[in-house]
Amino acid sequence: MGDFDFRDKTLGWVGTGRMGYVLATRLLDAGCELAVYNRTRSKAEPLAELGAAIVDSPAELADREIVFTMVAGPDDFKAVVVGENGLLSRSDAAPAVIVDSSTVSPEASSQVRAETEVRDVALLAAPVSGNPSVVDAGKLTVVVSGPSDAWEAARPYLELFGAGATYVGEGDVARLVKICHNLMLGVVAQSLAEITVLAEKGGVSRAAFLEFLNKSVMGSMFTRYKTPAIVNLDFTPTFTPALLYKDFHLGFEAAEEHGVPMPVAAAAQQVVQTLMGFGYDDIDFIALLELEARGSALELEPENVPVSDGLRDDGQLDVLSARRTG
C-alpha cells in the first residue's frame, strides 16, 4: 500500500467471532485506529491489548468514519445497523461508510441499504472467501459492491484482509457473487469426495491421488487446502453442512429469479441434505468424503501422512490430527 497512512480514517468493528476477530487483528497490526463492539464483550477484550478500544454498543461507533460489520445473519445485521442502539440509532452521528461482511441474502442487504441511504450512509456489501487459516496465510479474498466512492475509501483497509478485494459493481451484487462462489464450493467438494473414493477403491492412497491432482491443471487452492483433512480424516469444522445447505437455498432462489437451470448444483444439494440427515452437524462439510465412502462400502482410515495445505509458500507441511469423526 505504499505510504498510505492507515490512521487516516477512524474505524469501527462489529462482531468478533472466529473470522471477525482475526480480521480486526489484521487492521490493528497495520496500525489502524479501531474501536470494537461484540455482543459478548469478553470475546472482544483481548483486542484491547493490540490497541483497540472496546465499546458497549454499536451506537458508540456511530462517530467512526468507516465501520465493518461481521455478524451471524440477517437479523443480527439489521439489529446492529438499524436496531435500538444500532449504528444509525443516534441523531447526532452516523458512519460515512458501513462495510458488511455478514452472510445475508441480497434482499436483507437491500432492506438495510434503504435505511442507510436515508441517513446518507454508504453501505458496501463485502463477503469474504476463506477462514481463519486462510487469513493467517494472507490469502483471504473479498468481493465488494456498493457506491464506487465508498469502495475507494474502504479499499485500502479491505486489501489488508488478505490477497485482495474485487469490486463488482453497485448495489448488492457482491452478495450474489458470494452465493455463486458457495454453490461452486459445494459442487467441487462433492466431486472431490467422489473421485477420491473411486481412486482409493481402486487401490490408490488418498495422499498419492491428491498429490497428483494438486500438481495438475485440475488442482486448486481449495483442493490443496482440503488435502490434509481428506488424507488424515480431520473434519474439524471450518464450514458446516448446515451453512452450506443454507447457501444452496439462497442460490436456488437466485437461480429461479434469473431463470437459470442448476442441475449439477441441485444434485450436490441433495447430497448435502443427506449428510445432514445422517447426523453430520458440528463437523466440516468435507465429511462428504465419509458419506461417499459409506455409500461405496469403503472403510476409511486416517493415512497419518504429513501433507501440505498449500497455504504457505515455504512448503511447510501440516499434520492434522488423525482421528475418525462421524
Side-chain angles (χ1 to χ4, degrees), residues 34-326:
L34 187 69
V36 178
Y37 166 77
N38 191 65
R39 184 167 52 190
T40 304
R41 182 185 173 100
S42 61
K43 293 183 178 180
E45 286 176 341
L47 293 171
E49 298 178 8
L50 301 178
I54 311 300
V55 301
D56 293 318
S57 72
E60 294 180 59
L61 302 175
D63 58 356
R64 296 269 150 170
E65 294 169 273
I66 301 175
V67 177
F68 298 84
T69 57
M70 183 173 275
V71 292
D75 291 340
D76 293 307
F77 177 47
K78 292 175 184 177
V80 301
V81 178
V82 300
E84 183 180 1
N85 293 320
L87 294 170
L88 302 186
S89 64
R90 288 170 53 178
S91 61
D92 63 332
V97 179
I98 297 173
V99 182
D100 180 61
S101 297
S102 309
T103 301
V104 302
S105 68
E107 290 75 21
S109 186
S110 66
Q111 291 173 16
V112 174
R113 185 180 301 280
E115 298 287 340
T116 61
E117 288 175 350
V118 171
R119 293 292 302 275
D120 198 27
V121 174
L123 176 62
L124 293 177
V128 301
S129 173
N131 57 47
S133 295
V134 177
V135 175
D136 289 343
K139 295 187 177 182
L140 188 86
T141 54
V142 189
V143 59
V144 186
S145 65
S148 57
D149 55 345
W151 150 246
E152 291 299 337
R155 181 176 183 176
Y157 304 98
L158 286 164
E159 291 185 340
L160 288 173
F161 287 0
T166 301
Y167 180 69
V168 292
E170 299 283 336
D172 292 296
V173 292
R175 310 283 189 188
L176 176 60
V177 172
K178 180 58 188 298
I179 290 169
C180 291
H181 169 282
N182 282 9
L183 288 172
M184 185 170 179
L185 181 71
V187 169
V188 172
Q190 175 57 23
S191 179
L192 186 60
E194 293 177 14
I195 61 174
T196 303
V197 167
L198 175 60
E200 184 169 357
K201 283 214 77 172
V204 181
S205 72
R206 297 191 299 277
F209 172 67
L210 290 170
E211 179 182 349
F212 164 74
L213 182 75
N214 290 335
K215 289 178 179 178
S216 78
V217 295
M218 296 306 298
S220 66
M221 184 185 295
F222 174 73
T223 65
R224 289 186 287 273
Y225 172 67
K226 283 301 182 186
T227 289
I230 293 171
V231 169
N232 295 317
L233 304 185
D234 188 308
F235 301 146
T236 302
T238 62
F239 193 58
T240 64
L243 290 174
L244 180 58
Y245 186 79
K246 179 188 69 173
D247 286 344
F248 269 112
H249 178 71
L250 293 173
F252 293 142
E253 284 185 345
E256 182 176 359
E257 177 186 352
H258 295 288
V260 178
M262 306 282 283
V264 176
Q269 183 262 0
Q270 289 297 301
V271 182
V272 175
Q273 185 171 8
T274 302
L275 187 69
M276 296 164 58
F278 274 104
Y280 289 82
D281 300 317
D282 189 22
I283 197 170
D284 195 69
F285 71 101
I286 204 61
L288 286 164
L289 176 81
E290 186 161 277
L291 182 66
E292 182 68 26
R294 291 173 66 175
S296 305
L298 174 66
E299 185 72 24
L300 294 176
E301 296 290 343
E303 294 183 353
N304 299 326
V305 177
V307 288
S308 172
D309 64 5
L311 293 178
R312 297 165 178 81
D313 295 331
D314 59 8
Q316 178 182 341
L317 299 181
D318 285 346
V319 184
L320 297 187
S321 60
R323 62 176 185 174
R324 184 80 188 278
T325 310

